[in-house]
């Protein structure tokens, strides 16, 4: 993506650990959560809750993503919930996008709901991003 943006009107909380990579060629299924940054180059079938998520070009997600910031250059089917969602021209999305700020490059393909949410509503939701309830 040509521009990287953070959370609308706020800063990201500090991460609890190093960036995690799901490499190209690797398929992960299940629920993943943590206050870390995640780069997905392979495939994820399930749920991901993190500090920041980057879906690389060629990566495939089938499920849900919750994070403060989500950068999408690959394929996402399901649901994305974030303060800021950045969509690259190579993105192919068939998902409900819940966001406060949505940045879309020309050429991106988006199907599904794109409901904007006011900052206070999204701020209440983000308290659980990066962790899964017990």
């Amino acid at each position: 993506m040509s521009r990287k943006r953070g959370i609308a009107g706020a800063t990201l909380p500090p991460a609890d650990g190093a960036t995690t990579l799901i490499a190209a060629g690797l398929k992960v299924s299940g629920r993943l959560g943590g206050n870390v940054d995640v780069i997905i180059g392979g495939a994820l079938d399930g749920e991901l809750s993190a500090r920041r998520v980057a879906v690389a070009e060629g990566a495939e997600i089938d499920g849900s993503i919750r994070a403060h910031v989500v950068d999408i250059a690959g394929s996402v089917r399901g649901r994305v919930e974030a303060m800021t969602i950045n969509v690259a021209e190579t993105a192919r999305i068939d998902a409900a996008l819940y966001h406060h700020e949505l940045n879309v490059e020309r050429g991106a393909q988006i199907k599904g709901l794109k409901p904007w949410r006011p900052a206070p509503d999204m701020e209440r939701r983000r308290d659980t991003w990066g962790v899964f309830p017990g």
Side-chain angles (χ1 to χ4, degrees):
M1 297 188 72
S2 58
R3 294 182 297 184
K4 297 288 185 190
R5 296 191 182 188
I7 298 174
T11 58
L12 284 169
D16 290 340
T19 300
T20 299
L21 171 65
I22 297 174
L26 180 64
K27 181 173 182 177
V28 177
S29 297
R31 297 176 72 195
L32 305 171
N35 187 36
V36 296
D37 297 348
V38 179
I39 300 171
I40 301 170
L44 171 67
D45 183 4
E47 300 175 46
L48 173 60
S49 182
R51 176 180 171 267
R52 184 173 191 144
V53 174
V55 179
E57 187 173 349
E60 295 185 7
I61 309 299
D62 191 357
S64 66
I65 300 172
R66 295 183 317 166
H68 297 275
V69 178
V70 176
D71 300 311
I72 303 171
S75 173
V76 176
R77 287 178 304 279
R79 177 186 175 105
V80 178
E81 184 177 308
M83 284 300 288
T84 302
I85 301 173
N86 299 308
V87 181
E89 65 182 335
T90 57
R92 303 298 173 256
I93 300 171
D94 186 359
L97 304 177
Y98 294 89
H99 59 85
H100 177 68
E101 181 178 322
L102 177 64
N103 303 299
V104 181
E105 290 183 356
R106 182 184 310 263
Q109 294 179 10
I110 302 176
K111 293 192 307 187
L113 300 172
K114 296 166 275 306
W116 174 84
R117 297 285 189 252
D121 179 55
M122 294 305 290
E123 287 167 1
R124 281 191 299 274
R125 295 171 184 250
R126 74 179 181 192
D127 290 339
T128 62
W129 296 340
V131 295
F132 281 107

